[in-house]
Amino acid sequence: MNYPAELKYSKSHEWVKMEGDVAVIGITDFAQDALGDVVFVNLPSVGDSVTAGAAFGDVESVKAVSDLVSPVSGEIVEVNEALADAPEVFNSDPYGSWIIKVSGITDTEELLDAAAYEAFCAEEA
Amino acid sequence: MGELKRTQLYDVHVNSGATMVDFGGWEMPVQYPTGIVAEHLYTRHACSLFDVSHMGRLLIEGPDRVAFLQHVLTSNVDALDLNMAQYCIIPDEDGSAVDDAYLYCFNEDNLLLVVNASNTDKDLVHLNKYLKDYNCTITNITADYASIAVQGPKSKDMLTQLAGGVALTEPVKNALNTLTMEGREVLIAKTGYTGEPLGYEVFIKSCDAQWMWNRLIELGAKPAGLGARDTLRLEAGMPLYGHEMGVDPDGNNMPIFAVPLARFAVSFAPQKGNYVGREHLAVQYEAFKRINNRDFSDLAALPRRIMPITLLDKGVMRGGMTIYKGDKQVGWTTSGTMVPYYVAEGEGLQSVILDETAKRSIGLCYIDSDTLKDDIVEVDVRGKRLKAVIPQMHMSVMAPPFARPLLYRPTEEQKAVVVDDNTPKAITLLTKALENHRWRQQRCVNLIPSENTPSRAVQMLCASDPAFRYAEHKKVKAFYDSDIFYYQGTKFIDEVEQKLVEQMRRYLGCREVETRVISGQMSNAATFSALVDWKNRLDRKHDAKRLGYVLNNHIIKGGHLSAQPMGALKDYIAVDPVTERHAVVNFPVCADNIYKIDVEETKKVIEKYRPELIIFGKSMVLHKEPVAAIRKFVDEQNIPTTIMYDMAHVLGLIGDSFQKPFEEGAEIVTGSTHKTFFGSQRGVIGVNYKKDELKYGLWETIESRAFPGSVSNHHLGSQLGLLMAAYEMNQFKAEYQKAIVDSAKHFAKCLKAEGLNVAGDPVIDYTETHQVIVSVGYGVGPEVAERLEQNNIIVNYQATPDEEGFTASGALRMGVSEMVRFGFTFDDFAKLASLMADCILRNKDISEDVAKLRSEHLEMQYCFKGEEFDAALEGLVAELGV
């Protein structure tokens, strides 16, 4: 399992990368492994507002569906539409598969660093 | 997960990196590292292994085992033959399902019932409630045996390798066998839960489980987990207990007839008596019939049914989602996910399965019984209403070796016919007909064994005046059985028919002949109809009793379609009330030669079933049929029966080089007149009853079932042509028939020498008829036949007796008759064999060589020649304007 040191992590298994004041958000390696083959993603739209701790979409594997939970509150400024046609990249490249970019951040969940997240995952498994 | 049960293969799964989960109290692999999608696809194009050792294996032993199972299962256990399995449901008193199961008959001492793992304990409690009234026992042998499902198009090949090349089972669904594989005993079943047309489940002793699993992995199989097992069975539309059976989301028991398979799994055979749940099932069945007749007036017994559902909007369905039509809830999804499939290109048999894959969102649903195919509904997918449709089915298993996904296509409206000037179309038709005629007659080597080109004289007569006429006639007792014609202008054709009957009597070697039937299939249908009519002649106040038992050649073993229940026998064959199947038994074939009837085994079958009709004859025929031996046997045993020989393919071979059916003891011969015989395309029926015999009445019935039973207009032109063909045959048969059989043997030997895999017995040079069978590889028959056609050789692809059906055909069926008639010599057949090997084995373009070989043989042999004959023929030709 891969936990890049430069990222922050939520307990609902999203990763966050700050690019200036924009949060780039995706799902973690642990999340994709637990889901198995991802076959569908429900994406939000640019302009939607997101709330820290609330769902902004969902991702479906053959086995199960899982909510995508935003670690921040703010407004979506970009959506990775390519994921809709190729959701399998969540499995092959979870940290290259960003889902949304959020700016105007007003609130942020408590996020873990790589080491703490790895320990958290070890507990969950 | 410490308290969970583990199968014999647990270590293998863990070592393979499987994700293990709790499944019904068992610690089972849900997927391996490649994931569910890859496992699903590998099953569909190659072969996957599924550990199904967790399923409950219950052995039922004791003298009352059948009676007990008849009482506690829905199926007809009396209909379960040795080495066969059947799907069944364990019913509850209220007509709902306790579980669904498979019942296996591997031997004559016990029956094996395989139930769902999570239901095993519950099933045992339920079954034991009824056991006390029966002298039999149930033993849970789950731990003694492991079970592996080997599923996918390559499964047959892999298991055959392990079995040392012997045939695994009969090539039909649910067939069983007990084999030794590398010194270990293996119980093998042609069953599965993936929808794969080729798939097996094996039962092996626990100690052999790892050996079997590892050997199959070495041979190229890959492991697949419960995740793929679920997506595969969902795509195949198969029910899963707890989803499509059991309790619905409202907490109500689902009726058994809600599941489409119930129609096959539930029996009301009288010998089942008042079994568990029967009364409720009978009420459900009545509702089922009403609903299928689109009478939705009373849905109480069957308010909802299981149907496939396809999502039209983007998204994924899961089990338990609500389905709406407008504001009304009409049901729930019971299973659903996104399922991968291989994309196919092209149409029909030539369609190609590509490497490209795609996914589709499908499910099964429990939906109001008045829902119809193509109905549009909405599914509440986590708060969003998504559009979905009810398709016919998600997948077809009818084209082995591959399961074919059926993507939803809306039913197309037929386009209105555009009225325009048809002159250009008429001209095109003429041009294309000329092109086709030239190709088939000058450039093509035709090896279809059911075809022949008739002589020029036969062809011209077929086109001459009576071709457009009627000549209905019937023997009338009031005129001492004179034939009475209903129309004028029929004196010529009357004379022709009388002469034709006379020629055919001579040829067949029998007393009476009917020539008005216009095909071999009609010959059989008229004969079967007459047999039923004759059987019921003394009782016209009740529905006519049908024929049963009938002994024939199984279609897979080369039996003629026209003598099968799916062919001309359909409306005339009884259903055995005990087995609830057509009252047909098949000739057993020799263990070392599946193309030949086993006479000694046949005698046992005749003694057991005492068939009222025995039908010899095949469409894939390499051997003489043992008519004399069976006639002798039934006479000695005093078994009342009728022996018929359907000589469709070999009608032109009657004589010293092949068989003389009536001398050997056949009573009725039917056939078509255009395969090995020289004629136009018609049929013929001959019988050998004497006028003073009781069965002469059967002959008179055959005549009346020909006319007015089968034909009114019987294509008089072709009857005229057939008279010429009969003259030719009676004149030239000795040389022609010898040339046919000798050429077929020679052709077979040449093909063999060229490295092709010729079927049959080398001791007799592979064939005693006009036919030669060549194996080209499992499932590739259609492709090779198409390649040969592109190279001007016309053959037909053919499933051999150990293959599943026409799409799995691995052989070519060929006949030499037409080319012999065009004067092919031994040398020509040797050349042809060499060219065919180039094309089949080396993919060489031989089209021009074949055309050249054919063009050297354009003159027909075995027909009348000479100045006087030619002058008479050309006179007719000139008048016809040809």
Side-chain angles (χ1 to χ4, degrees):
Chain A
M1 217 63 71
N2 191 8
Y3 307 91
E6 67 275 20
L7 302 179
K8 297 284 189 201
Y9 301 88
S10 69
K11 287 185 176 176
S12 50
H13 304 288
E14 283 80 21
W15 56 261
V16 184
K17 184 168 135 197
M18 292 308 296
E19 288 179 348
D21 56 3
V22 173
V24 185
I25 296 162
I27 63 167
T28 68
D29 196 12
F30 180 88
Q32 72 77 21
D33 187 64
L35 278 166
D37 290 315
V38 176
V39 290
F40 186 75
V41 60
N42 249 322
L43 296 170
S45 304
V46 171
D48 287 358
S49 49
V50 292
T51 309
F56 66 85
D58 52 57
V59 58
E60 306 231 17
S61 71
V62 176
K63 290 185 285 193
V65 56
S66 178
D67 280 339
L68 297 166
V69 179
S70 180
V72 298
S73 300
E75 187 184 322
I76 297 174
V77 291
E78 212 176 323
V79 173
N80 188 357
E81 300 286 351
L83 294 172
D85 293 328
E88 59 276 6
V89 297
F90 279 114
N91 295 113
S92 55
D93 184 15
Y95 298 110
S97 307
W98 63 273
I99 306 168
I100 50 170
K101 295 185 180 178
V102 178
S103 76
I105 294 167
T106 53
D107 188 20
T108 304
E109 269 194 283
E110 189 190 332
L111 296 173
L112 307 172
D113 65 15
Y117 179 63
E118 187 171 355
F120 175 75
C121 289
E123 237 170 78
E124 279 227 323
Chain B
M1 294 200 275
E3 286 161 31
L4 295 176
K5 287 181 265 193
R6 292 174 175 181
T7 74
Q8 298 86 341
L9 292 161
Y10 172 83
D11 290 342
V12 176
H13 302 318
V14 171
N15 292 337
S16 309
T19 308
M20 305 301 282
V21 296
D22 173 0
F23 182 82
W26 291 79
E27 196 173 357
M28 296 298 292
V30 67
Q31 66 172 68
Y32 296 83
T34 52
I36 295 171
V37 169
E39 290 167 25
H40 181 115
L41 290 169
Y42 199 74
T43 314
R44 293 280 183 244
H45 90 260
C47 177
S48 295
L49 303 184
F50 302 80
D51 179 9
V52 286
S53 305
H54 60 308
M55 298 193 73
R57 286 173 285 281
L58 310 177
L59 197 66
I60 324 292
E61 292 171 290
D64 287 351
R65 63 187 178 282
V66 171
F68 168 65
L69 291 171
Q70 287 286 37
H71 189 66
V72 296
L73 302 180
T74 55
S75 58
N76 183 356
V77 184
D78 277 310
L80 183 60
D81 294 329
L82 178 65
N83 277 332
M84 287 299 291
Q86 64 181 199
Y87 176 71
C88 54
I89 295 163
I90 304 175
D92 213 336
E93 298 288 352
D94 67 350
S96 66
V98 176
D99 200 359
D100 64 339
Y102 239 90
L103 184 66
Y104 299 79
C105 181
F106 279 107
N107 60 62
E108 281 164 346
D109 301 325
N110 54 51
L111 291 160
L112 177 66
L113 186 68
V114 176
V115 301
N116 282 303
S118 52
N119 287 341
T120 308
D121 293 338
K122 175 184 88 170
D123 292 345
L124 273 169
V125 170
H126 172 85
L127 294 173
N128 277 316
K129 278 195 298 196
Y130 303 95
L131 195 59
K132 62 178 189 315
D133 298 330
Y134 297 90
N135 183 10
C136 62
T137 58
I138 305 175
T139 315
N140 185 350
I141 59 161
T142 305
D144 303 334
Y145 282 83
S147 191
I148 299 171
V150 188
Q151 303 280 307
K154 294 196 172 147
S155 59
K156 187 175 183 176
D157 183 46
M158 289 175 188
L159 285 163
T160 305
Q161 284 188 57
L162 278 190
V166 305
L168 298 175
T169 65
E170 289 290 321
V172 293
K173 188 175 155 57
N174 292 343
L176 312 181
N177 205 357
T178 303
L179 293 170
T180 304
M181 294 188 182
E182 303 187 349
R184 292 152 167 100
E185 188 189 69
V186 177
L187 304 179
I188 183 164
K190 201 161 191 292
T191 54
Y193 194 47
T194 58
E196 278 301 308
L198 285 190
Y200 300 85
E201 290 174 304
V202 297
F203 302 90
I204 38 184
K205 292 204 180 75
S206 294
C207 57
D208 295 332
Q210 295 203 9
W211 158 79
M212 174 127 231
W213 184 276
N214 292 333
R215 284 293 286 125
L216 287 165
I217 296 284
E218 282 168 30
L219 292 172
K222 288 185 181 174
L226 294 174
R229 187 167 157 82
D230 192 46
T231 57
L232 288 158
R233 72 92 197 164
L234 169 63
E235 191 181 24
M238 294 168 141
L240 172 61
Y241 188 87
H243 290 252
E244 285 76 33
M245 267 182 211
V247 180
D248 75 14
D250 273 350
N252 298 317
N253 284 341
M254 296 154 86
I256 284 174
F257 267 92
V259 179
L261 276 176
R263 199 178 147 197
F264 306 101
V266 178
S267 162
F268 299 105
Q271 75 272 16
K272 280 185 71 66
N274 187 23
Y275 65 90
V276 177
R278 186 190 187 282
E279 277 172 39
H280 290 278
L281 286 169
V283 173
Q284 290 175 23
Y285 183 45
E286 289 309 311
F288 171 85
K289 286 190 284 191
R290 279 198 303 276
I291 289 163
N292 277 279
N293 284 323
R294 299 199 182 176
D295 169 1
F296 305 123
S297 58
D298 180 4
L299 303 178
L302 206 53
R304 285 179 170 149
R305 296 193 294 158
I306 298 296
M307 293 186 189
I309 184 167
T310 300
L311 202 59
L312 297 173
D313 284 336
K314 286 189 170 179
V316 183
M317 295 175 291
R318 309 283 174 183
M321 291 174 170
T322 312
I323 303 174
Y324 294 93
K325 253 186 200 170
D327 287 336
K328 187 185 167 221
Q329 186 191 341
V330 291
W332 299 273
T333 54
T334 50
S335 298
T337 186
M338 194 77 105
V339 170
Y341 65 93
Y342 282 101
V343 177
E345 195 178 61
E347 292 287 322
L349 200 57
Q350 311 304 335
S351 69
V352 178
I353 299 170
L354 307 177
D355 290 336
E356 182 191 341
T357 63
K359 296 186 193 83
R360 54 186 175 145
S361 185
I362 59 172
L364 294 171
C365 59
Y366 185 52
I367 193 163
D368 284 359
S369 290
D370 59 3
T371 307
L372 297 173
K373 180 174 90 75
D374 292 332
D375 277 3
I376 301 288
V377 295
E378 286 181 329
V379 182
D380 182 339
V381 178
R382 281 171 294 106
K384 264 195 226 164
R385 293 270 186 102
L386 300 184
K387 206 164 89 162
V389 67
I390 307 299
Q392 175 83 47
M393 54 175 100
H394 291 316
M395 192 183 89
S396 170
V397 304
M398 299 308 284
F402 297 106
R404 312 263 169 175
L406 297 175
L407 309 185
Y408 180 72
R409 291 180 187 176
T411 311
E412 279 174 32
E413 297 274 323
Q414 285 199 343
K415 282 183 200 154
V417 179
V418 182
V419 180
D420 55 6
D421 179 10
N422 275 337
T423 314
K425 290 177 192 162
I427 294 167
T428 306
L429 176 61
L430 291 171
T431 317
K432 287 200 161 177
L434 177 62
E435 241 170 60
N436 177 65
H437 187 84
R438 281 196 179 136
W439 178 55
R440 292 299 296 256
Q441 288 294 321
Q442 296 173 15
R443 291 174 58 82
C444 260
V445 168
N446 186 56
L447 297 173
I448 302 275
S450 349
E451 294 174 358
N452 219 323
T453 296
S455 68
R456 183 168 159 84
V458 171
Q459 292 191 38
M460 292 306 119
L461 288 168
C462 286
S464 67
D465 182 275
F468 342 111
R469 306 300 168 199
Y470 271 85
E472 293 172 341
H473 64 89
K474 193 168 180 278
K475 280 181 189 156
V476 177
K477 294 273 181 211
F479 300 106
Y480 299 101
D481 271 344
S482 288
D483 261 314
I484 304 302
F485 281 74
Y486 302 120
Y487 292 179
Q488 295 310 119
T490 53
K491 290 185 183 66
F492 172 62
I493 198 68
D494 179 17
E495 186 189 322
V496 166
E497 187 171 328
Q498 287 183 36
K499 287 180 172 161
L500 175 57
V501 166
E502 187 44 44
Q503 289 294 317
M504 293 307 283
R505 270 186 199 140
R506 244 179 76 191
Y507 179 72
L508 298 171
C510 66
R511 292 188 175 85
E512 303 290 352
V513 169
E514 175 56 71
T515 66
R516 285 171 295 180
V517 279
I518 55 169
S519 69
Q521 167 105 350
M522 188 188 280
S523 308
N524 282 358
T527 303
F528 300 145
S529 171
L531 282 159
V532 169
D533 200 48
W534 170 248
K535 178 177 180 169
N536 292 279
R537 68 191 183 282
L538 302 177
D539 179 4
R540 300 296 191 196
K541 292 181 180 168
H542 297 93
D543 285 341
K545 289 193 176 66
R546 293 180 174 206
L547 305 174
Y549 264 79
V550 171
L551 174 63
N552 68 4
N553 285 296
H554 195 286
I555 192 151
I556 286 181
K557 301 283 189 285
H560 193 208
L561 187 60
S562 304
Q564 308 289 324
M566 71 167 88
L569 198 52
K570 170 111 182 165
D571 296 335
Y572 308 107
I573 187 74
V575 168
D576 182 332
V578 173
T579 64
E580 300 173 299
R581 291 192 300 254
H582 284 133
V584 170
V585 276
N586 302 123
F587 285 108
V589 296
C590 298
D592 57 351
N593 183 356
I594 46 185
Y595 294 93
K596 194 172 185 177
I597 289 174
D598 185 329
V599 173
E600 291 314 308
E601 289 299 315
T602 299
K603 289 177 183 174
K604 292 180 197 163
V605 169
I606 291 173
E607 278 194 310
K608 182 174 174 195
Y609 288 93
R610 301 182 74 85
E612 63 184 275
L613 174 64
I614 297 174
I615 312 173
F616 287 104
K618 296 177 174 184
S619 54
M620 179 168 56
V621 50
L622 297 177
H623 290 275
K624 296 170 189 171
E625 296 276 84
V627 180
I630 298 306
R631 164 55 67 195
K632 184 163 177 280
F633 178 74
V634 296
D635 285 352
E636 280 167 4
Q637 300 294 314
N638 234 333
I639 293 169
T641 186
T642 298
I643 296 185
M644 163 178 169
Y645 193 166
D646 171 4
M647 298 194 80
H649 268 265
V650 291
L651 193 79
L653 301 183
I654 292 176
D656 295 330
S657 298
F658 184 61
Q659 287 193 277
K660 294 180 178 171
F662 289 108
E663 279 183 25
E664 292 171 32
E667 293 160 59
I668 303 173
V669 166
T670 58
S672 41
T673 51
H674 47 267
K675 293 180 163 75
T676 44
F677 203 81
F678 291 161
S680 44
Q681 291 182 319
R682 298 182 67 84
V684 66
I685 307 168
V687 309
N688 210 19
Y689 302 122
K690 289 185 211 138
K691 283 205 163 149
D692 56 358
E693 259 182 89
L694 173 64
K695 272 189 166 175
Y696 195 80
L698 170 58
W699 159 246
E700 291 176 318
T701 311
I702 290 174
E703 282 186 299
S704 74
R705 294 322 295 157
F707 175 82
S710 302
V711 284
S712 161
N713 158 28
H714 62 90
H715 304 182
L716 306 188
S718 72
Q719 192 181 36
L720 186 58
L722 185 57
L723 175 57
M724 178 60 77
Y727 285 146
E728 291 169 350
M729 186 53 89
N730 276 328
Q731 183 110 347
F732 301 107
K733 65 181 179 189
E735 307 95 282
Y736 167 73
Q737 291 169 345
K738 185 169 186 314
I740 291 286
V741 176
D742 290 351
S743 299
K745 286 174 186 282
H746 180 73
F747 185 40
K749 283 190 285 183
C750 292
L751 289 164
K752 180 76 183 173
E754 293 289 347
L756 287 161
N757 185 6
V758 181
D761 183 359
V763 173
I764 54 145
D765 296 334
Y766 306 99
T767 181
E768 296 175 318
T769 70
H770 61 305
Q771 288 191 10
V772 176
I773 311 287
V774 169
S775 294
V776 291
Y778 185 75
V780 300
E783 186 261 313
V784 173
E786 175 64 23
R787 193 195 313 162
L788 286 167
E789 177 173 336
Q790 283 161 12
N791 284 280
N792 299 324
I793 296 177
I794 312 289
V795 300
N796 75 276
Y797 57 84
Q798 170 84 40
T800 60
D802 49 12
E803 290 166 348
E804 283 75 12
F806 72 95
T807 54
S809 295
L812 307 175
R813 184 184 67 152
M814 297 176 285
V816 298
S817 19
E818 185 163 336
M819 290 303 108
V820 165
R821 225 177 162 213
F822 277 112
F824 263 43
T825 62
F826 274 24
D827 278 352
D828 296 320
F829 279 113
K831 254 186 243 170
L832 179 61
S834 165
L835 288 170
M836 288 182 72
D838 276 344
C839 181
I840 296 169
L841 301 175
R842 293 175 280 280
N843 211 357
K844 255 176 81 175
D845 181 346
I846 55 163
S847 53
E848 284 311 311
D849 301 289
V850 174
K852 182 168 176 299
L853 180 62
R854 178 65 171 92
S855 68
E856 290 163 2
H857 299 282
L858 300 180
E859 194 189 338
M860 181 154 292
Q861 311 298 316
Y862 311 104
C863 55
F864 298 105
K865 285 172 190 172
E867 250 175 63
E868 208 181 331
F869 180 83
D870 290 346
L873 174 56
E874 292 318 313
L876 175 66
V877 169
E879 191 57 34
L880 288 172
V882 179

